[in-house]
Amino acid sequence: MSFAISLSNLKHNKKLYQVYFLAQLVIFSLFFMLQCFSTDSVIVARLAEDADIKTMIQTISLFFVVFIVFYFVYFNQFFIKQRAEELGIYSILGFKRQEIVRLFLAENAILVVIAAGLSLGVGYVLYFGMRTCLINFLGLDLPIWGLKIQSSAFKNMLLLILGIIGIVYVELYVIFRKKLTDILNLQKLQDKQVKRHPLLALSGLVCLLGADLLFSNLTTRPYSLWDQYGSLPVLFITLCLLGGGSVLFIIFTLPYVVSFLIHRPKKLYSMSGNVVLPRMQHRLQNKGRLLTALALLTTGSVMVLGVTFLTLSYPYEATKRIVPSTLETKIAKKRPLSTSEIKSFEQKFALKAVDSKLLQLKLKDKWYFSKRNTSDHIDVISLSNYNELMALQQHREQLKKLVLNEAVLVNYYASLAPVNESFTLKDGSQTLQVKKATNQNPFAFANSVVTVIVSDAKFNELAQKYPNASYAIVSFDGKNMRDNEKLVQAFKKTKVAYFSSYERNKLITNANSPTFLMISMISILFFVTISTILYFTARIEELSLSEEYDTLAKLGYQIKEIRHVVAVENAWLFFPPLILGLVNGVFGILGASYLITDSLTTNWYSRLGQPLLYTIGLFLPIYLLVYYLAGRSIGKELKEYTEPTIYKM
């Protein structure tokens, strides 16, 4: 009997359950796709060469389970509130508490089982598409067809379903242990008396400002607080300020904003203001915890997705410093790469080659080019040779003329602190005084880390004095050649050691793609959670006020005006978490960019603009679409209450 009633209820409330069911389908499909990924031992083994895939999968699975539990607990309470009057009818009809629990449990179980069953097919299709993209994108030598799903994927899916049904049962049992009158009043909670706390309201703003300033402080690296006191302690303080500030801002600061608007007659006595603003003081306080959780979820979504895009785009910019030329090879005294071979590569691949002559001179004392790393030698290059390389590598700044005893140090690190160094050679006969530095390195990091630029006259003088110290580096470059695989394959046949931008970029792609994949799934889960919670919360808040909207209709409000009131009310629910999350997310991305990137290889667009553009371009349309759909759904249902009243008038 319970099963039949449950089916009837689901059919009767199909509009209410439609989005909820689709959200379940998405979540279960993503979870099953992840299980397929974890059981595909072939592709995991190939990707694990560059990343700890198993650890990632375990971490993401844990995230999924936590959020899925939160998701079902929240919406189970939501639907009980939505159907509180129906519970009274069941009680009048003689249903016992245990029978009502079984009834609601059967409804949940039906939805979960159907969604989980469909997700097996959808998840498999998603995984097949993802696997095919990975194989093609990474150039893996793996078969596309013939995928087999191991039984452990189905076992994990079954355990998840049973776990959800068990959690829902426990939650229902706890809820229905309350008195019937308390359960029936779930939908009509009494508004708490609004209390103003000026100090706490101000503290919310101060905490958020403090967190954003600590993120911004990373732009002063290597002199930031993060470097002076350690990243972990400052990160802990920043997160505490961010979390605490979000709580205080939503619960105490926003009501002050509403109070300020209420005391402005133009805002209060508008078509929507006199209806919305008085109600918002109570709603913001009653929904403070929910809005805070959504604001933090939004912040996390924006930061995680933004940093993900940053970590994908930044390494390609960093490679331009790590390997500034398309291809570079170090030549010893006996030149294994002949002049004819160099010309052959130039002609075949539309390249230009620069044959750089250097002197590797031993130092009297080791020089610390970083806090932990030392060098017992320097690599000397002439000014004309250096400028020739800058022209070859395109869009790089050349140096001006140097006097005989003047030298410039190529700093391979991000800092450009004042330089005043003296390099005394091992025999003590020469000392090079360096008072200038540049970050425009001419060679790959692996070939030279302490390069000194001198005038042509000084270079010739040193070359005559130390003839045995000479060696060469041949650099190849050309337009749009940094990702040319054919060039690398052809150069391999020479059996000469080399460094190439193509192989460096490929290594980065292989290493970051699995991480990007995992983080993308977390972000999608965040989006589903935030969107559906807001959708259903807006519905229950507005539809519980249907009688008040009926009164507005009797007072002369038209359907369009009522829909405008609904849109404004929903905006107070949707946009505070969005705005707070976006602002905090922007500062979070900015700070994270200085933690994980070299400031010399990124401009403001690649550091902050590009990640934000992609993140907001993905997140904002989804968010606004849910806002629109919520308003449209509420408007349709309110129309049934208000139109009869309008027509009677």
Side-chain angles (χ1 to χ4, degrees):
M1 182 178 176
S2 296
F3 184 78
I5 296 176
S6 297
L7 283 176
S8 177
N9 287 336
L10 289 175
K11 291 178 182 178
H12 178 70
N13 296 297
K14 62 181 180 180
K15 290 184 179 180
L16 180 64
Y17 284 108
Q18 190 175 29
V19 176
Y20 176 60
F21 176 78
L22 290 175
Q24 283 188 28
L25 180 61
V26 171
I27 290 176
F28 285 137
S29 297
L30 288 173
F31 183 82
F32 187 67
M33 181 180 71
L34 184 62
Q35 302 312 305
C36 293
F37 190 95
S38 65
T39 58
D40 190 340
S41 57
V42 177
I43 196 168
V44 167
R46 291 295 299 272
L47 293 176
E49 296 173 2
D50 299 296
D52 192 352
I53 299 298
K54 290 185 178 180
T55 302
M56 287 185 189
I57 292 173
Q58 292 172 356
T59 304
I60 304 305
S61 295
L62 180 61
F63 268 103
F64 265 70
V65 171
V66 171
F67 277 104
I68 287 173
V69 169
F70 170 76
Y71 180 86
F72 278 93
V73 168
Y74 175 82
F75 282 110
N76 198 41
Q77 293 180 352
F78 166 81
F79 288 119
I80 291 174
K81 292 179 182 179
Q82 182 73 3
R83 297 166 61 185
E85 294 179 0
E86 186 180 328
L87 296 177
I89 296 174
Y90 289 141
S91 179
I92 293 172
L93 292 174
F95 279 73
K96 297 180 180 179
R97 285 191 178 91
Q98 193 63 28
E99 291 175 327
I100 298 176
V101 169
R102 286 199 297 269
L103 178 65
F104 275 84
L105 182 63
E107 291 182 18
N108 278 276
I110 291 170
L111 289 174
V112 168
V113 170
I114 295 175
L118 292 175
S119 70
L120 297 179
V122 176
Y124 181 82
V125 172
L126 288 175
Y127 179 65
F128 178 78
M130 179 198 68
R131 188 179 189 273
T132 303
C133 291
L134 276 176
I135 291 173
N136 293 330
F137 184 65
L138 301 178
L140 301 177
D141 185 19
L142 293 174
I144 294 177
W145 301 99
L147 293 179
K148 293 182 180 179
I149 305 176
Q150 296 185 14
S151 59
S152 57
F154 295 100
K155 289 179 181 178
N156 292 338
M157 197 71 182
L158 180 61
L159 288 174
L160 179 65
I161 295 170
L162 294 176
I164 290 171
I165 294 175
I167 290 170
V168 169
Y169 174 77
V170 172
E171 184 187 13
L172 289 171
Y173 181 77
V174 171
I175 290 174
F176 285 100
R177 287 187 66 184
K178 299 178 181 179
K179 294 180 181 179
L180 183 60
T181 53
D182 294 333
I183 297 174
L184 294 177
N185 287 327
L186 283 174
Q187 192 177 9
K188 297 180 179 180
L189 294 174
Q190 296 297 320
D191 288 333
K192 300 176 183 177
Q193 185 179 358
V194 178
K195 296 181 180 180
R196 296 182 180 180
H197 299 276
L199 184 60
L200 292 176
L202 180 62
S203 298
L205 289 173
V206 171
C207 288
L208 289 176
L209 182 62
D212 293 339
L213 287 175
L214 285 176
F215 279 131
S216 302
N217 182 253
L218 281 164
T219 61
T220 63
R221 299 195 73 187
Y223 310 107
S224 68
L225 296 174
W226 299 70
D227 295 292
Q228 295 179 21
Y229 298 102
S231 297
L232 289 179
V234 180
L235 178 63
F236 177 75
I237 294 172
T238 304
L239 293 179
C240 288
L241 289 174
L242 186 66
S246 298
V247 174
L248 294 174
F249 181 84
I250 294 292
I251 296 177
F252 298 107
T253 309
L254 273 183
Y256 265 90
V257 175
V258 176
S259 178
F260 172 76
L261 294 175
I262 286 177
H263 288 87
R264 297 187 66 184
K266 289 184 179 180
K267 295 293 183 181
L268 178 62
Y269 297 112
S270 62
M271 186 63 68
S272 59
N274 58 0
V275 178
V276 176
L277 291 177
R279 189 182 296 154
M280 281 305 106
Q281 286 187 312
H282 299 281
R283 178 177 293 183
L284 289 174
Q285 191 171 34
N286 291 334
K287 298 296 179 185
R289 293 179 181 177
L290 174 64
L291 294 178
T292 301
L294 295 177
L296 293 175
L297 274 175
T298 305
T299 300
S301 300
V302 173
M303 285 183 62
V304 167
L305 202 57
V307 171
T308 302
F309 284 119
L310 176 66
T311 55
L312 282 176
S313 61
Y314 160 73
Y316 289 95
E317 295 295 322
T319 302
K320 294 177 182 178
R321 283 199 75 221
I322 298 171
V323 185
S325 297
T326 296
L327 191 143
E328 180 178 306
T329 180
K330 191 171 184 178
I331 307 297
K333 294 179 181 179
K334 295 180 179 180
R335 300 175 61 86
L337 196 64
S338 65
T339 304
S340 61
E341 286 178 311
I342 294 174
K343 289 183 179 180
S344 175
F345 280 112
E346 286 182 320
Q347 294 173 359
K348 186 176 180 180
F349 294 98
L351 294 168
K352 183 179 179 182
V354 170
D355 190 351
S356 303
K357 295 178 176 62
L358 292 95
L359 299 172
Q360 190 171 93
L361 304 176
K362 295 288 185 180
L363 296 175
K364 185 177 181 181
D365 299 310
K366 290 184 177 181
W367 183 66
Y368 283 84
F369 59 88
S370 70
K371 291 182 179 180
R372 298 180 180 179
N373 300 314
T374 63
S375 177
D376 62 352
H377 68 273
I378 57 174
D379 298 313
V380 180
I381 185 175
S382 66
L383 176 64
S384 60
N385 202 163
Y386 175 83
N387 284 338
E388 189 179 7
L389 281 167
M390 294 298 101
L392 173 75
Q393 293 160 6
Q394 304 173 19
H395 308 296
R396 307 194 80 192
E397 184 180 353
Q398 299 183 17
L399 293 178
K400 297 179 180 179
K401 185 181 292 185
L402 298 175
V403 298
L404 182 64
N405 295 321
E406 186 180 7
V408 177
L409 174 68
V410 176
N411 190 345
Y412 283 76
Y413 289 80
S415 172
L416 259 181
V419 177
N420 187 8
E421 293 288 343
S422 295
F423 293 108
T424 303
L425 303 185
K426 192 171 184 179
D427 60 7
S429 62
Q430 294 280 343
T431 299
L432 296 177
Q433 190 69 33
V434 178
K435 293 188 177 181
K436 294 181 180 179
T438 178
N439 288 121
Q440 301 288 338
N441 56 294
F443 305 115
F445 285 13
N447 280 335
S448 178
V449 290
V450 187
T451 309
V452 177
I453 309 162
V454 297
S455 65
D456 290 11
K458 186 65 176 180
F459 183 85
N460 293 332
E461 176 188 328
L462 292 171
Q464 291 178 0
K465 188 173 181 63
Y466 304 100
N468 295 327
S470 64
Y471 72 99
I473 293 179
V474 180
S475 303
F476 295 90
D477 216 335
K479 190 175 182 180
N480 301 323
M481 293 297 293
R482 291 187 63 84
D483 289 311
N484 193 306
E485 182 181 5
K486 293 181 179 179
L487 170 63
V488 176
Q489 295 300 327
F491 199 86
K492 284 182 178 180
K493 298 177 182 179
T494 64
K495 307 296 183 181
V496 176
Y498 66 91
F499 293 97
S500 75
S501 59
Y502 165 76
E503 290 187 340
R504 182 73 186 185
N505 286 337
K506 185 178 180 181
L507 176 67
I508 290 168
T509 302
N510 289 349
N512 287 347
S513 294
T515 305
F516 176 71
L517 178 68
M518 299 297 111
I519 293 177
S520 297
M521 286 198 285
I522 290 182
S523 301
I524 292 172
L525 183 63
F526 280 178
F527 293 161
V528 170
T529 304
I530 294 169
S531 301
T532 50
I533 287 176
L534 283 171
Y535 178 89
F536 286 113
T537 302
R539 282 187 57 124
I540 193 171
E541 288 292 331
E542 296 304 316
L543 294 179
S544 64
L545 302 170
S546 56
E547 294 180 0
E548 295 185 25
Y549 285 112
D550 184 58
T551 303
L552 290 179
K554 292 176 182 178
L555 293 173
Y557 278 69
Q558 299 298 315
I559 292 295
K560 290 183 178 179
E561 294 167 340
I562 291 176
R563 286 176 177 172
H564 176 70
V565 172
V566 171
V568 173
E569 288 217 37
N570 284 344
W572 278 98
L573 183 67
F574 274 77
F575 288 101
L578 174 66
I579 295 171
L580 188 60
L582 284 177
V583 171
N584 291 334
V586 168
F587 282 98
I589 294 172
L590 177 64
S593 70
Y594 279 88
L595 276 177
I596 63 179
T597 68
D598 179 351
S599 60
L600 297 173
T601 61
T602 52
N603 52 34
W604 276 98
Y605 175 71
S606 60
R607 175 181 296 280
L608 187 62
Q610 191 177 44
L612 277 180
L613 182 65
Y614 287 134
T615 302
I616 294 175
L618 178 63
F619 180 75
L620 198 58
I622 297 174
Y623 201 90
L624 294 179
L625 178 63
V626 174
Y627 169 72
Y628 168 76
L629 292 176
R632 184 181 177 185
S633 175
I634 294 166
K636 284 183 177 180
E637 297 199 27
L638 288 178
K639 192 175 181 181
E640 299 176 4
Y641 293 98
T642 55
E643 277 198 338
T645 302
I646 292 174
Y647 290 144
K648 288 178 183 179
M649 297 172 61

